[in-house]
Amino acid sequence: MVIVNPRVHAPAKRRGFRREHLLFLAFVTPNFFLLGVFSYWPLLYQAYLSLTRWDMISPRKLFVGLDNYRYMFGGSEFYEVMFNTFYFTGAVLVGSIVLGLALALLLNQRLRGRTVARAIIFAPYVLSGAAIGLVWAYIFDPVYGLMRVFLNFFYIVSPNWLVDTTWAMPAVIIVYLWKNVGYSAVIYLAGLQNIPQELYEAAKVDGANSWQSFWHITVPQLSPVTFFISVTTILFSIQAFDIIAVMTGGGPVNATTTLVWYLYEQGFIAFRAGIAAAAGMLLFVLMLLITMFQVFFVQRRVHYS
Amino acid sequence: MSKLNRRKFLKAGSGALSALALAACGGVGTTDTATAPSGAASTGAAPSLAGAPSAAGAASAAAQSQAPSAAALNTAGRTRVLFWSAWGGKNAEGVQKLVDDFNASQSDIVVENQFQGSYEETAQKLTAALAARQTPDIATMSEVTWNRFYLNQTIQPLDEYFTKANFDPTDYVEPLIKEGTRQGKIWWVPFARSTPIFYYNRDVFQKAGLPDRGPETWDELREWGPKLMEAGGADMKVFAYTTAKNYNAWHFHGNVWQWGGAYSDPELNALLDEANAVEAGEWLRRFVHDDKMGYMAEDQSTDFINGVCATTSQSTGGLGGIATSAKFQVGTAFLPQQKQFGCPTGGAGLAIMANAQEEQKQAAVEFLKFLAMPENVVFWSKHSGYMPATNSARESQDMQAYFKENPNYQVAVEQLPKTQKQDTARLIIPNGDQTIGTGLERILVNNEAADKVFADVAAQLERDAQEVKQQVKDVPLT
C-alpha cells in the first residue's frame, strides 16, 4: 500500500511527485501484469469457455449459449455435489475452529514439552497433501488398516471407510482436519498471547470462574482471529483437491465429489471444457459471495477497540 | 527503509540483468538450454537431419540428463523421435530396454522415451501439448483415449509409411489391428493389449474340494460360493468387483455380453437399460447384497494376493505382479459364461501424431517396425504379461516354450481370439467409462435396483452421446 505524502501536492514539489508516481508504477505494474495474466484473463476466458462446447482438442469451440449451465444445474449429480461441498466446508470450518481453539488453549498452558508439542501439531500442515492422502488411505483400509485395529481395540466395528458412501466423506474430513488444524491452532495461540492479562485479573477480582472468563473474555477477544480463520478456512477448504484426488477420486458413487472435483472430472477426465468452466464460474461466484458476506457483515461485528 | 532513488534502482536492475546474462552463458556452455535456438547453434552440435534447429541439441541434452545408457550413444546427426510412454515400475524398465535396444540397433534414429503417467494422465498431457503445439511424435493411447485423438484427426494414418518402411502390418493379431483400423487405414497399432481373465486361489479351491478350474458359468461360481467361504475362513469373499476409478465398467463389460446384453450399439444408442443387461446387473446385486459373496474392492489385485477374496477378474497385464506376490498357487481361467461367452479387449496401443514432421513420422514407423519384430514382442510380452501382438511372436518357439512353463499365461493367450472390441458407450461417449462405472458403484455399494440404475445411466449416456454424434458422422468409426 502506498502512503501518499501530503507534501507532494505542493506545486514546488512537482518533480518529486512525478518521481514518486513513476516509482509507484514501477512497483505496481509487474504485479498487475501478473495478476492480469494469471487471474483476470483466465477468469474472463473461463467465462467465455463456459458458453462453448469444446473437447480441448478440436480447433473449433462451438458456441452453445447457456447449455452448459443447464447441463450442470439439470443433472441430479449436481445437487449431491453442492451438498458435498457444503458438508465438507462446513465440517472443516467447525472442526478447525473448535479443535484449533482447544489445541491452542492446551498449548498455552505452562506444560513441559509444549514447544515440541506445538511443532508436532503444526508439522502436518507443511506436508504434501498427496503424500498424506496416500498414507491415510492405508490407515483407512477396511482390511489391513490401522484404523480398524484401533477401533477394534475399543470393540467398535470399523466401517469400510473409503468404499462406503456414508463414511468416505467423514474420512476425508478427518484427514483434511488433521493436516490443517495445526494452522488454526498456531493462529489461535498467537491470539491468546495477545489478550491482556489485566482482563483476566480484573475478572478474577470480580469473582469470575474460569469458564466465565473463557466465555466472556477469551472468546470475544479472539473474535478477530476467529474471523480470520473462518475466511481462510472457507476459502481454502472449498478449493480442497489433493486429499480427495488421492484418497477417493470423488467416489464412491460421487460421495466425495465436491465442486472442485466435479470441475476437474468434467474438464480433465471427461474433457468437457465448457461444463468445467461453468463449474468454475459457479465456484467463483460462490467465493465472491462468501467473501462479500464476510467483509460487509461479519467483519463489522467482530472488531473491538 | 531508505528511499530508493532511480540510480540505486537502475544499479540493482543492471546487477540482476548481468546475473541473468551469466546464467545464460553457463547454459550455452553445458547445452542444458537446448530449447534456446542460439544455445544449440553455438555449441557446434552437428546439424541435425531433422532440420529442426534444436533437435540435435535437445537430443544430446536429453542423453546427458535422462537415460544413462543412452549417454554413451553418439546421437549427433540422428533423427530424433520423441516417444511418450505410460508405464511405471517393472513395465517401464521393459519399455526403456526396447528403446535402448532400438537406439543401439541402428545409427539414423534416436528415440527418446518420456514417461507421462497413467493412460489418462498421458491423454491429459497430450491434450495440453496439442494446444501448445509441443506434441511428441509417437504416443501411448489406451483403447478409450485414442478415440478422442482419432475423432479430432490429430493422429496419422500409417499405411503409406508402412509401405515405405517395407513393413507388413498383417503380422499383427487380427482382432487387435482391426481395432485400430478405420476408413480402411491403420491409425493405432497394438502394443500393450490385454483382456480381463478370471483369477482363482488354487489352494482355497483345493481345500473346498472344488475342481482345479475356473467356473463354467457365474451360476456355478455362486453354487461354489458357500464351500469357498467355508474353506477360506470367516472373512473370505468369493469374488471381488472393483471401483469406477479402477475400470469396473471394463470388467463388467464381459458380464453384459455374457447375459446377452450390450452397453450400446455402434450408433451410440445406449442399450444398458434393456432386459439382458439389467438381468446381469441384478445378478450382480443379488450376488453382493443377498448372497454376501461378492463385494467392491478398491484394488482387487491387492485383495486377491492377500487372500481377502477367493476369485476375481483382472487384466492379463496384472498376471506377472499377482503371480510373484501371491503366497498361494494362482490359477487363471477364461471368464465364466452365462448365456454365452463374452470378453472385451483393453490396454494400450501406439499412434503417431499427425502434426509431427514427415521425417519424424517415417522414423517413428521404423521404431514401430522394430517393436513388432518377434524377439521384441516376445520379450515385452514375457516381461509385462500383455498379449503378444503379432502372430509370428505368438507362434515362435520361445513363446511356446514360455506357455508350457506358465500355463496361466497360456490361458490369457488362448482366450484372446474369443474376445471382441468394446461397445461405443465406453469407448466413444464422453466419460462413458465413468458414467457406467459410477452406476455400477450404486449397485455394488448402495444396493440399488439394477433397472433403476441402468435406466439413469442409459439416459445420461444418451444425453452425452449428443456431444459427439456430429463428430462421428464426419469421422467414421469403421
Side-chain angles (χ1 to χ4, degrees), chain A residues 7 20 23 27 53 55-58 71 143-144 163 165 248-249 252-254 264 268-272, chain B residues 3 124 127 130 148-149 152 154 245 298 302-303 306 308 430-431 441-442 445-446 463-464 467 471:
Chain A
R7 71 195 164 95
E20 292 265 324
L23 197 59
F27 278 125
R53 178 186 298 160
D55 66 2
M56 292 182 165
I57 300 181
S58 166
Y71 183 102
V143 184
Y144 335 99
V163 288
T165 40
T248 62
V253 206
N254 301 327
Y264 172 79
F268 296 98
I269 298 177
F271 293 99
R272 293 194 188 106
Chain B
K3 210 156 129 194
Q124 285 169 11
T127 303
L130 280 164
R148 288 178 58 242
F149 298 104
N152 280 297
T154 55
K245 213 170 43 163
E298 267 189 278
T302 315
D303 281 12
N306 288 294
V308 180
N431 217 25
E441 285 188 355
R442 282 173 61 187
V445 179
N446 290 355
R463 184 180 66 166
D464 294 347
E467 292 173 26
Q471 244 180 342

Side-chain angles (χ1 to χ4, degrees), chain A residues 52-265:
Chain A
T52 66
R53 178 186 298 160
W54 185 42
D55 66 2
M56 292 182 165
I57 300 181
S58 166
R60 278 177 312 152
K61 300 181 184 71
L62 189 69
F63 188 82
V64 294
L66 296 175
D67 270 10
N68 292 324
Y69 292 94
R70 247 173 250 136
Y71 183 102
M72 185 170 75
F73 292 120
S76 59
E77 188 190 357
F78 179 75
Y79 298 95
E80 288 173 66
V81 170
M82 292 318 288
F83 173 80
N84 291 338
T85 309
F86 290 122
Y87 179 6
F88 180 81
T89 310
V92 168
L93 177 65
V94 172
S96 300
I97 288 174
V98 173
L99 292 176
L101 183 54
L103 281 171
L105 288 170
L106 205 66
L107 294 177
N108 204 27
Q109 311 292 316
R110 300 203 170 280
L111 298 171
R112 258 205 309 178
R114 66 173 177 168
T115 327
V116 178
R118 278 178 198 174
I120 289 172
I121 282 166
F122 192 69
Y125 182 71
V126 296
L127 295 177
S128 131
I132 286 176
L134 267 182
V135 172
W136 277 88
Y138 279 109
I139 293 178
F140 280 124
D141 190 291
V143 184
Y144 335 99
L146 198 62
M147 193 58 110
R148 184 192 172 96
V149 178
F150 177 74
L151 291 177
N152 283 354
F153 184 76
F154 296 104
Y155 300 100
I156 301 170
V157 179
S158 171
N160 292 333
W161 297 98
L162 301 178
V163 288
D164 186 317
T165 40
T166 315
W167 288 101
M169 185 59 103
V172 171
I173 290 167
I174 289 171
V175 178
Y176 192 85
L177 271 179
W178 179 80
K179 174 165 160 47
N180 290 295
V181 79
Y183 173 77
S184 50
V186 165
I187 305 284
Y188 265 128
L189 194 58
L192 282 176
Q193 287 167 351
N194 275 338
I195 300 176
Q197 282 305 311
E198 302 90 78
L199 293 175
Y200 290 106
E201 283 156 19
K204 217 173 184 176
V205 171
D206 289 346
N209 62 27
S210 55
W211 170 251
Q212 280 169 326
S213 54
F214 170 74
W215 195 245
H216 294 290
I217 298 172
T218 313
V219 171
Q221 284 290 321
L222 283 177
S223 63
V225 178
T226 308
F227 169 69
F228 172 77
I229 289 175
S230 320
V231 176
T232 50
T233 305
I234 290 178
L235 293 186
F236 281 118
S237 65
I238 211 167
Q239 302 180 71
F241 178 79
D242 46 4
I243 287 172
I244 292 174
V246 173
M247 285 183 65
T248 62
V253 206
N254 301 327
T256 54
T257 301
T258 58
L259 192 54
V260 170
W261 180 261
Y262 178 80
L263 188 161
Y264 172 79
E265 200 178 33

Side-chain angles (χ1 to χ4, degrees), chain B residues 11-29:
Chain B
K11 209 170 156 189
S14 69
L17 273 178
S18 55
L20 267 178
L22 276 172
C25 291
V28 172

